[in-house]
Amino acid sequence: MFHNPSIMDIAEKYKPLWALDSASALLEWDMETYMPLGSSKPRGFTTAQVQLLRQERVLKLTDLVSRAEKLTGLNDYESGFLRVLRRELDFYTKVPPKLLEDIIRTATEGTVVWREARKKSDFAMFKPYLEKMVDLKRQEAEKLGYQGHPYNALMDRYEEGITTNDVDRIFSPLRSELKGVLTKVLSAGEFPTTHPLEEIDYEEAAMKRVNEDALKLLQMPEKTFRMDISTHPFTTGMSIDDVRITTRYEGKDFKASLYSTVHESGHAIYELQMDPSLEYTPLARSTSLGIHESQSRFWENFIGRSREFVGRIYPSLKANLPFVAQYNEADIYRYVNSVRPSLIRVEADEITYNFHIMLRYELEKKLIGGEMEVAEAPTAWKDLMEKFVGVRPSNDAEGILQDVHWSEGMFGYFATYSLGNVIAGMFYNRIQKDLDMKTAIANGELGRIKDWLKEKLHKYGATYSPKELQKRAFGETYNPQWLIKYLQEKYLT
Ligand code: MG
């Protein structure tokens, strides 16, 4: 993989950094799963200290990296290695420690206030923290530097090279075409506004057996992967040989737990299938959040919500959840694919989910661009919700206060959820040329799909930027047409 002696030297010096990241991931996993509730203070201290150590260590590589950047004749792995390190160095050198500290402090305090504000549906409580955070994030964008819109600097942290021009180009047809699909689906009146299955309680142990059967179907490795429980499901990798997901058990509506499990497994498959030779290097990570999310969405929606997958999991549902017996396979397929305009992003269906993201993208762009005041945002939220999804929140808890992202300072993150859907659509289109996906799922041969994804994408880790990677795999980048085509075919025929 690496042949150039200077690159190999830097790679050797990078290994302790890899270990710090691996340790941080384990600390985070523990915090979200098994850490005693009262231990957050020392854990916060430890995590911050590890991050400081990391920053110090990365900055020590500055001269070596700058010299290596003048080398010629590097292979793709070596160029990718320098590209990833340059992004890390840029962040640490351009954003002053004082600003980073302010952001972390505002996030810590703001998140506590946000939780309370959401409970009381009281935006005024949270407003000063959001104002402070928007101001800090605008400063961060200035420090990082950008071309065009300041928001580009923030999105680039999560999705390298993406700009507002790109996202506008992607979202514009997506919005109008999906609006058309939604209007037709709703006027056909196929999906009820409530469903009895949402309200029937399940036993956690029984639901766990269904999820374990889903993991078997997905052929998740037993020795290098595990599943635990947390309030907000997530995936984390300590190494290519140690990837963990969590799922949630809310006690009712089996589909929330089942599809969380499949979604996170999609993230995990990406991390597990990176080439083992990338281990201990900064290339052993995803190249962007959009690419990462494309994998979770691909498994959750394109595979998990297909007729064939529902057919494979149906026997387990029936065996473990007695109430499912009243419904046949076709009923369950329709149930897990219900389309219903709703106010809450995390409960949204495959079509309307994208509108929830577009709304947040438009607001963030305006807030960071200084085109909108925080005070105007709650009403702007309601107006856009009505325009895009067709429903209007009656309060801020089900409007602007619903997501944790802004209190934590994650501006520039939201678009990657829909970019993930768009990229998943591209994989869905492209994979059909090489294998019959429906038959593979129906026969339980999901390993064939995993192998295909590994070759096209997973094995490279962060070697290529998200745009380069898409060009290699598809010959085009972020083309929304394939997602549109998939949703039209699924819901209109
Ligand atoms: Mg995800």
Side-chain angles (χ1 to χ4, degrees):
M1 187 180 68
F2 296 157
H3 300 289
N4 185 290
S6 307
I7 301 288
M8 287 166 82
D9 176 43
I10 304 172
E12 201 52 38
K13 295 188 165 71
Y14 189 86
K15 281 182 181 169
L17 278 157
W18 180 94
L20 286 180
D21 285 346
S22 177
S24 292
L26 184 55
L27 286 172
E28 183 214 315
W29 173 83
D30 174 70
M31 189 175 77
E32 299 286 337
T33 50
Y34 297 109
M35 189 185 81
L37 275 177
S39 311
S40 59
K41 209 171 165 185
R43 180 57 51 88
F45 176 76
T46 307
T47 307
Q49 290 299 311
V50 173
Q51 285 313 308
L52 282 173
L53 267 176
R54 184 179 198 287
Q55 176 170 3
E56 253 178 64
R57 281 264 182 176
V58 172
L59 287 172
K60 279 187 183 155
L61 299 175
T62 306
D63 292 343
L64 288 174
V65 171
S66 300
R67 251 177 278 149
E69 281 169 335
K70 298 192 183 83
L71 296 168
T72 52
L74 298 181
N75 67 29
D76 286 4
Y77 294 105
E78 293 166 336
S79 309
F81 177 73
L82 291 178
R83 186 189 98 258
V84 171
L85 286 182
R86 172 51 60 195
R87 282 173 61 78
E88 292 204 18
L89 286 171
D90 267 1
F91 183 75
Y92 286 137
T93 43
K94 289 180 177 174
V95 183
K98 170 79 174 68
L99 178 56
L100 266 187
E101 238 182 87
D102 279 356
I103 291 171
I104 294 167
R105 192 173 341 102
T106 307
T108 313
E109 292 169 11
T111 303
V112 176
V113 175
W114 164 76
R115 264 196 206 106
E116 201 56 29
R118 186 173 69 161
K119 233 182 262 163
K120 296 178 179 158
S121 191
D122 182 356
F123 180 73
M125 263 179 84
F126 179 53
K127 183 168 165 272
Y129 294 88
L130 185 56
E131 278 170 341
K132 175 92 178 140
M133 187 55 90
V134 167
D135 178 53
L136 292 169
K137 285 281 144 179
R138 291 178 65 181
Q139 289 180 43
E140 184 185 323
E142 290 307 319
K143 295 291 181 194
L144 287 168
Y146 53 85
Q147 289 190 328
H149 201 287
Y151 189 47
N152 292 344
L154 301 183
M155 285 200 296
D156 181 78
R157 296 289 308 148
Y158 302 106
E159 191 74 9
E160 183 181 349
I162 200 94
T163 64
T164 54
N165 286 342
D166 292 324
V167 180
D168 291 342
R169 170 187 66 78
I170 299 157
F171 281 3
S172 166
L174 196 58
R175 182 156 64 232
S176 56
E177 295 294 333
L178 294 192
K179 189 82 187 170
V181 177
L182 180 64
T183 307
K184 281 184 194 152
V185 168
L186 293 181
S187 65
E190 266 183 80
F191 297 107
T193 49
T194 60
H195 197 294
L197 278 173
E198 287 167 336
E199 297 305 326
I200 305 178
D201 294 340
Y202 59 71
E203 255 181 70
E204 188 174 311
M207 191 63 225
K208 187 164 180 261
R209 288 195 294 273
V210 174
N211 284 337
E212 280 165 357
D213 285 341
L215 296 182
K216 276 188 207 124
L217 264 177
L218 299 173
Q219 298 173 17
M220 301 308 286
E222 277 174 27
K223 288 186 176 160
T224 53
F225 167 86
R226 60 175 286 138
M227 174 173 73
D228 293 271
I229 302 171
S230 69
T231 325
H232 303 285
F234 68 97
T235 301
T236 189
M238 271 54 85
S239 119
I240 296 167
D241 287 327
D242 184 354
V243 179
R244 307 179 191 196
I245 67 164
T246 62
T247 193
R248 57 184 165 142
Y249 296 100
E250 286 159 327
K252 59 178 190 173
D253 197 359
F254 73 85
K255 74 174 173 346
S257 179
L258 172 62
Y259 285 101
S260 277
T261 302
V262 179
H263 179 99
E264 299 307 329
S265 295
H267 281 304
I269 291 167
Y270 182 14
E271 306 238 340
L272 286 159
Q273 296 210 118
M274 288 180 192
D275 195 286
S277 66
L278 304 181
E279 197 77 298
Y280 310 136
T281 80
L283 298 180
R285 63 172 80 147
S286 77
T287 189
S288 76
L289 285 191
I291 298 283
H292 223 314
E293 192 70 5
S294 77
Q295 296 311 290
S296 55
R297 298 275 163 175
F298 186 73
W299 287 93
E300 178 192 348
N301 293 331
F302 293 77
I303 295 176
R305 290 183 208 270
S306 67
R307 276 179 205 283
E308 294 74 21
F309 188 89
V310 171
R312 297 291 308 195
I313 200 71
Y314 181 71
S316 172
L317 287 169
K318 219 164 74 167
N320 291 298
L321 311 174
F323 52 84
V324 168
Q326 306 163 47
Y327 300 88
N328 65 28
E329 222 181 280
D331 296 331
I332 298 297
Y333 171 74
R334 280 172 50 81
Y335 174 60
V336 302
N337 285 291
S338 309
V339 173
R340 183 192 303 166
S342 68
L343 295 165
I344 307 298
R345 174 182 63 89
V346 296
E347 293 165 9
D349 55 76
E350 260 185 294
I351 299 171
T352 58
Y353 189 89
N354 298 293
F355 298 133
H356 289 262
I357 297 308
M358 291 170 194
L359 173 160
R360 287 154 176 80
Y361 165 75
E362 292 298 333
L363 294 187
E364 284 193 1
K365 195 170 63 169
K366 285 190 175 143
L367 287 168
I368 299 299
E371 300 146 52
M372 181 190 279
E373 297 294 325
V374 166
E376 302 168 274
T379 306
W381 181 293
K382 289 176 184 167
D383 292 346
L384 278 179
M385 199 62 196
E386 203 167 352
K387 187 175 156 195
F388 291 171
V389 189
V391 286
R392 191 175 181 89
S394 57
N395 59 57
D396 290 329
E398 51 187 33
I400 195 167
L401 290 172
Q402 67 183 268
D403 297 305
V404 73
H405 300 59
W406 288 355
S407 66
E408 291 189 345
M410 294 192 281
F411 280 80
Y413 187 120
F414 277 121
T416 67
Y417 291 122
S418 272
L419 296 178
N421 288 336
V422 165
I423 300 165
M426 293 166 79
F427 276 109
Y428 182 71
N429 171 63
R430 183 62 188 73
I431 197 171
Q432 320 274 359
K433 294 184 175 131
D434 295 331
L435 65 94
D436 179 354
M437 208 171 93
K438 286 183 192 305
T439 309
I441 303 170
N443 295 341
E445 297 168 346
L446 292 175
R448 291 178 61 206
I449 298 171
K450 287 166 77 170
D451 289 345
W452 188 90
L453 290 168
K454 180 179 181 175
E455 280 309 303
K456 289 281 171 209
L457 167 71
H458 299 165
K459 68 176 186 184
Y460 298 114
T463 303
Y464 301 106
S465 74
K467 281 184 180 172
E468 288 172 321
L469 193 61
Q470 289 173 70
K471 270 190 211 133
R472 292 175 66 93
F474 316 119
E476 58 182 358
T477 61
Y478 306 107
N479 183 350
Q481 294 308 323
W482 305 116
L483 174 64
I484 293 167
K485 182 167 176 271
Y486 155 78
L487 289 171
Q488 285 173 338
E489 283 173 3
K490 179 165 181 176
Y491 288 99
L492 300 183
T493 55

